[in-house]
Amino acid sequence: MTTSRLALLPALAAIILLAACNTSQETKPHEADSSAGCDASKVDYLIGQNVSGYIERKAMKESGSSAVRTLLPDSVATMEYNPRRLNIHTDAGKVIIQLTCG
């Protein structure tokens, strides 16, 4: 009787593992939902202003984004697309020249 129970353990472990993988894949489309992303056009009026912590927080809130990053001309940035992130592009003097999402 114990031998048959032991034989079921690998199968049970495989089922649990596959269920865990399936759950993580279901959350990815929800995370990439563009309706919940940011709208950079709502904060275009900030172009020409000096970037600061206050401006970053204000832009993030008003654009509906969940993250913000400021990019200077020589900044190194990752290339992954995040529809919920606001990118604040500045010139060398930290004056906002462009606002984009991604």
Side-chain angles (χ1 to χ4, degrees):
M1 189 89 161
T2 58
T3 306
S4 63
R5 285 186 180 174
L6 289 176
L8 291 176
L9 284 178
L12 183 60
I15 291 170
I16 292 171
L17 199 68
L18 288 173
C21 290
N22 189 25
T23 302
S24 66
Q25 290 175 350
E26 289 176 14
T27 59
K28 287 182 182 178
H30 177 69
E31 292 171 357
D33 183 11
S34 62
S35 66
C38 82
D39 182 358
S41 66
K42 291 181 178 178
V43 290
D44 276 345
Y45 71 92
L46 295 173
I47 293 173
Q49 294 189 28
N50 287 333
V51 72
S52 66
Y54 171 76
I55 293 292
E56 288 176 338
R57 289 187 300 276
K58 181 177 181 169
M60 188 169 80
K61 181 179 178 182
E62 291 181 14
S63 68
S65 63
S66 62
V68 66
R69 68 178 171 182
T70 298
L71 300 166
L72 294 163
D74 57 348
S75 293
V76 176
T78 59
M79 297 306 294
E80 87 281 357
Y81 180 76
N82 179 350
R84 298 197 50 130
R85 178 178 53 214
L86 178 68
N87 297 304
I88 302 174
H89 302 268
T90 69
D91 64 10
K94 296 188 179 179
V95 175
I96 298 171
I97 57 173
Q98 184 181 21
L99 296 142
T100 61
C101 294

